[in-house]
Amino acid sequence: MQKNLAGSAGFFFSFRQERGMPKTERWQWYVEESAPSEQHHHAIDRVFFEGRSDFQQVAVVSTPVFGKMLILDGDTQSAEGDEKIYHETLVHPALAAAADRSDVLVLGGGEGATLREALRSPDVRRCTMVDIDGLVVDLAKRFLPEWSDGAFEDRRARVIVGDALQFMRDDRDRYGVIVSDLTEPLEDSPSNALFNEDVFRLIKSRLAEGGVYVLQASTASFHNASLHCKMARTLRRHYAHVASFFTHVPAFDTDWAFLACSDRIDVAALDASVIDAYCSGLRGENFFYDAVTHRRLFSLPLYLRRALAAEGESFR
Ligand code: SAM
């Protein structure tokens, strides 16, 4: 996920490989910048792939603390150790709240974890995942099978390699839940064209009556929640209910925010009994999300509530 909106600044560098240096200084390091003056260094103990697709810089590495990691344009997308925090948060409040979760659309979601989480619900009869980058999907299948955990082979999965915007323009179906798991809208990102009024209108036109549109919505950190607030202000023009929620994602080294949008239901106010009943029907055990976590996710700190209530920029 892009955290430094000034442009991706993640890069690899190695300390001098001089004999006799302490072990830590022999590692290669992946450095992620969350602001021009803030860096997070991940030691790399193995590089599975590093290169450029037609759309973005792609790396798959392994790190001692977080395990395997997918990095796009120099920013951590997800890490083995804590990706379930992000993907359970992104998927399950929306699915639990939706009037009809039988047909789900995922925009992006390349490594297959969002697809995995949606297909854990037996009520989901089809989940369509549209990712522009076939290389990311192939690398995820090859090096990160834990993320998809068989989801790519699930007969309910429809995986399309293509532009999510073009797909929605051509598609005629309507979905009970639309999950946007795209990279950050930066000038050099393939997702940039998906964050504007027309596209938000198009997404809504693809949403079934009573449906829920949920999206990863940038950071909720005290120094950098402006993009999140900009998305929330814009979406309030399209939905009766737009609920912000957030959680800390250790691999991102920051608080990450989401938005759940619906005309029928305020996802924030979902009843605990509904969440418990929904979670008890999922295949396998959750790692992170349940009715208690739901309350925490939607309990926003004062600074964020103030920022969301303030006037400000929105997408046009
Ligand atoms: N789930 C991950 C996480 O934990 O944050 C990140 C999401 S996933 C890696 C982001 C995906 O969005 C990438 O695989 C990228 O190829 C895809 N993407 C970006 N722009 C797109 C577009 N216009 N259409 C479809 N997919 C797009």
Side-chain angles (χ1 to χ4, degrees):
M1 280 297 110
Q2 185 72 46
K3 280 179 282 309
N4 166 20
L5 297 186
S8 63
F11 53 91
F12 297 157
F13 70 88
S14 305
F15 285 100
R16 287 165 293 112
Q17 300 287 344
E18 280 171 15
R19 192 172 298 288
M21 286 170 74
K23 176 165 170 32
T24 49
E25 296 199 358
R26 286 215 193 91
W27 270 322
Q28 204 182 11
W29 295 82
Y30 156 48
V31 180
E32 183 165 18
E33 253 185 41
S34 56
S37 57
E38 289 293 318
Q39 292 184 349
H40 186 121
H41 291 213
H42 296 278
I44 294 173
D45 47 27
R46 188 171 166 197
V47 177
F48 294 96
F49 176 87
E50 187 195 353
R52 184 165 187 80
S53 73
D54 294 339
F55 303 96
Q56 50 211 335
Q57 186 69 25
V58 186
V60 180
V61 302
S62 171
T63 67
V65 171
F66 291 99
K68 290 189 276 189
M69 213 180 242
L70 172 67
I71 304 165
L72 296 181
D73 282 341
D75 286 280
T76 307
Q77 298 300 302
S78 49
E80 191 172 5
D82 64 5
E83 57 86 6
K84 287 183 179 169
I85 295 175
Y86 173 96
H87 291 107
E88 288 186 21
T89 298
L90 175 65
V91 171
H92 295 306
L95 253 65
D100 175 355
R101 61 181 80 98
S102 58
D103 208 356
V104 177
L105 173 60
V106 177
L107 311 177
E111 63 273 60
T114 302
L115 180 68
R116 173 198 75 210
E117 287 303 317
L119 292 174
R120 286 183 55 213
S121 169
D123 302 334
V124 173
R125 285 206 295 273
R126 179 177 74 166
C127 185
T128 302
M129 174 190 131
V130 186
D131 198 296
I132 201 166
D133 200 330
L135 178 65
V136 171
V137 177
D138 291 344
L139 290 170
K141 287 178 179 173
R142 188 169 158 211
F143 296 118
L144 308 173
E146 302 86 348
W147 273 243
S148 51
D149 191 23
F152 287 125
E153 293 74 41
D154 188 310
R155 57 174 178 66
R156 297 171 294 162
R158 176 173 63 152
V159 180
I160 295 167
V161 175
D163 180 6
L165 181 54
Q166 196 54 52
F167 172 83
M168 286 189 292
R169 284 180 177 144
D170 300 341
D171 188 43
R172 285 288 158 267
D173 288 342
R174 299 185 73 193
Y175 301 86
V177 181
I178 297 178
V179 185
S180 170
D181 189 16
L182 297 163
T183 45
E184 295 300 298
L186 294 169
E187 62 285 352
D188 57 349
S189 160
S191 56
N192 190 31
L194 279 105
F195 288 81
N196 58 61
E197 283 279 24
D198 289 343
V199 176
F200 286 138
R201 213 170 281 118
L202 175 63
I203 291 172
K204 183 151 189 195
S205 72
R206 303 263 66 78
L207 200 58
E209 206 62 40
V212 179
Y213 166 48
V214 65
L215 61 156
Q216 75 82 358
S218 191
T219 69
S221 53
F222 73 95
H223 67 88
N224 188 10
S226 54
L227 179 55
H228 176 73
C229 294
K230 184 176 175 183
M231 291 179 185
R233 283 187 206 103
T234 311
L235 288 163
R236 282 186 205 129
R237 294 199 288 264
H238 297 267
Y239 295 90
H241 304 286
V242 176
S244 288
F245 53 118
F246 84 111
T247 185
H248 188 73
V249 181
F252 294 176
D253 193 15
T254 191
D255 293 337
W256 205 259
F258 304 81
L259 286 163
C261 313
S262 173
D263 282 337
R264 182 183 69 89
I265 183 167
D266 175 4
V267 177
L270 199 57
D271 190 88
S273 59
V274 171
I275 298 168
D276 288 342
Y278 164 79
C279 288
S280 66
L282 294 176
R283 175 175 47 77
E285 290 280 301
N286 281 354
F287 170 75
F288 180 73
Y289 179 71
D290 68 2
V292 175
T293 308
H294 184 96
R295 284 201 307 275
R296 190 174 72 75
L297 290 172
F298 288 86
S299 302
L300 306 182
L302 184 53
Y303 77 82
L304 189 55
R305 280 179 273 135
R306 282 185 176 133
L308 284 163
E311 294 292 311
E313 232 193 320
S314 62
F315 285 100
R316 288 290 159 211

